[in-house]
Amino acid sequence: ACFDTTMTMEEHFEKNKAVYENVSNTENGTVKYSVRGNSLVLTGTVPNEVDDKFLETYRSTFEQSVENSDSTYMEILENVREDVPDATFIVEFVDKNGKTLYSKEYK
């Protein structure tokens, strides 16, 4: 028999809580997972406020870092999709005030 094993993102997150709550806090900021609609979101927060004149520097640094980890992020998305077939995975970096420095969505 074929069972419909599709879950909501919240159910998937709850099931994998131990993995997703194993977040890192360093002097360079924090990294945490959350759920936003049908997306698993990985948010990196830098510990300072980023002035607009430095925005481009931060953006290109994070873009490079994310691209270097593309295969890892695709693996995470594939794992999530075993439970939530139409899920997306968002990697974003924000400053301490929540200003978006860089964001990429894997579909």
Side-chain angles (χ1 to χ4, degrees):
C2 185
F3 296 104
D4 181 11
T5 55
T6 304
M7 313 183 169
T8 66
M9 185 56 76
E10 280 81 8
E11 289 167 336
H12 168 81
F13 193 80
E14 200 58 39
K15 181 181 109 172
N16 297 282
K17 218 174 174 73
V19 176
Y20 294 136
E21 288 191 336
N22 183 13
V23 295
S24 57
N25 294 309
T26 66
E27 68 269 10
N28 297 325
T30 61
V31 175
K32 71 180 180 68
Y33 285 95
S34 61
V35 171
R36 188 181 302 150
N38 212 32
S39 300
L40 179 65
V41 183
L42 177 61
T43 304
T45 306
V46 298
N48 50 325
E49 188 175 340
V50 175
D51 191 286
D52 284 343
K53 66 182 175 215
F54 299 116
L55 208 51
E56 191 51 43
T57 306
Y58 273 89
R59 195 195 66 73
S60 58
T61 301
F62 289 132
E63 183 175 30
Q64 193 61 55
S65 162
V66 168
E67 281 174 10
N68 290 343
S69 302
D70 263 353
S71 59
T72 304
Y73 295 141
M74 286 307 294
E75 262 176 55
I76 293 171
L77 179 57
E78 283 167 29
N79 290 337
V80 172
R81 283 191 168 157
E82 287 173 18
D83 290 337
V84 189
D86 58 347
T88 66
F89 181 51
I90 298 171
V91 179
E92 64 184 13
F93 291 92
V94 298
D95 75 0
K96 70 173 191 178
N97 298 327
K99 183 197 309 183
T100 301
L101 306 174
Y102 179 75
S103 179
K104 179 171 182 177
E105 185 171 16
Y106 291 84
K107 297 178 177 178

